[in-house]
Structure formats: C-alpha cells, structure tokens
Amino acid sequence: MEEIIFHHTLPIQLRFNDVDKFGHVNNTVYFSFYDLGKTEYFASVCPGVDWEKNGIVVVHIEANFLQQIFGSDHVAVQTAVSAIGTKSFDLVQRVIDTKTNEVKCICKSVMVAFDLEKHESMPLTEAWIEAICRFEGRDLRKKKAN
C-alpha cells in the first residue's frame, strides 16, 4: 500500500467538554474531529457541490487509538482520499499533535455519494473525481478487476 500524504490539515480547538474526568479527550469525541475534517476537506476541494441535493455518507468507519490526547494538547485532523470507486471512496484521517507531529489516532472510512432528494446512492461525478485527484496529486481511481 502506498504511503498516504496528507495535503489537508485542520487545527482543532479543544473544548472543555471534550475532556473527561480522566483528563483526556474521550474516544467518542475523535469522531467529531473527523467530521470537522471531512467537512472542511470537501468544502475546499469540491467547492461547487450543491450540498442541498448531494451528500456524502459514511457506510463504514474504524479507528485505531494510539495515544491519549490531553486537554492542554494542540491537535489537528489531517484528511486524505486514498482510493475512488464508482459510487464510493476511501478516506483516511488522523489526529496529530501539532507540536510533536505524534499521531494520536488513525481513522479509515468508506464514504458513499448520496442523492438527498431520491434518498439513494449515486455515482460520483467526474467533476468530484477530477477535483479530488488534482488536490491529492495523483489518480486515485480503483482499477477494475479483469
């Protein structure tokens, strides 16, 4: 597997309610960080999308928690698309400490393009695919098996 290069980084401001009684960020909070990263990624990479009609939904998500985040830490979420299919794409995200670059958590998701009016999956548009590939600096289309 090719190493992921993250071109999109979003600093995260930790809030008082992100920290639990043990003094660290609760595991459930990481997913809100990943949601913020996804939102900012697609707003900047695919700015012409009509989000009232078209959406992107998570159909699979997994996270590996590597290190604790404490309330005094400075963190950011990094986001990259690693592969693109016809209706779905693979998203890789990680939370890092911005002072040490230590990876705190890694998240992998499968995202599906969704028609919000018809309530069904839809093919990714060529404009989306081209915009993502251009941003990531390489062709991410999944090769079809023979």
Side-chain angles (χ1 to χ4, degrees), residues 54 73 87-88 137:
N54 301 310
D73 290 345
K87 292 184 176 185
S88 68

Side-chain angles (χ1 to χ4, degrees), residues 91-104:
L91 194 68
V92 179
Q93 295 179 283
R94 65 185 186 183
V95 175
I96 62 162
D97 182 304
T98 59
K99 293 192 184 282
T100 65
N101 284 325
E102 180 181 37
V103 178
K104 301 292 190 170

Side-chain angles (χ1 to χ4, degrees), residues 16-33:
F16 177 79
N17 63 327
D18 291 338
V19 179
D20 62 19
K21 66 182 178 179
F22 300 109
H24 67 260
V25 173
N26 188 281
N27 289 4
T28 61
V29 175
Y30 288 67
F31 293 99
S32 65
F33 298 165

Side-chain angles (χ1 to χ4, degrees), residues 53 114-122:
K53 294 180 182 177
F114 198 77
D115 185 316
L116 296 170
E117 294 174 334
K118 294 180 182 176
H119 299 283
E120 61 186 30
S121 64
M122 61 181 242

Side-chain angles (χ1 to χ4, degrees), residues 44-99:
S44 62
V45 175
C46 302
V49 175
D50 182 351
W51 297 111
E52 298 294 319
K53 294 180 182 177
N54 301 310
I56 302 169
V57 296
V58 178
V59 296
H60 178 80
I61 191 165
E62 61 184 65
N64 290 321
F65 300 95
L66 306 172
Q67 298 289 329
Q68 296 181 68
I69 297 174
F70 295 95
S72 60
D73 290 345
H74 297 275
V75 297
V77 62
Q78 297 182 312
T79 303
V81 173
S82 61
I84 300 174
T86 305
K87 292 184 176 185
S88 68
F89 57 91
D90 298 337
L91 194 68
V92 179
Q93 295 179 283
R94 65 185 186 183
V95 175
I96 62 162
D97 182 304
T98 59
K99 293 192 184 282

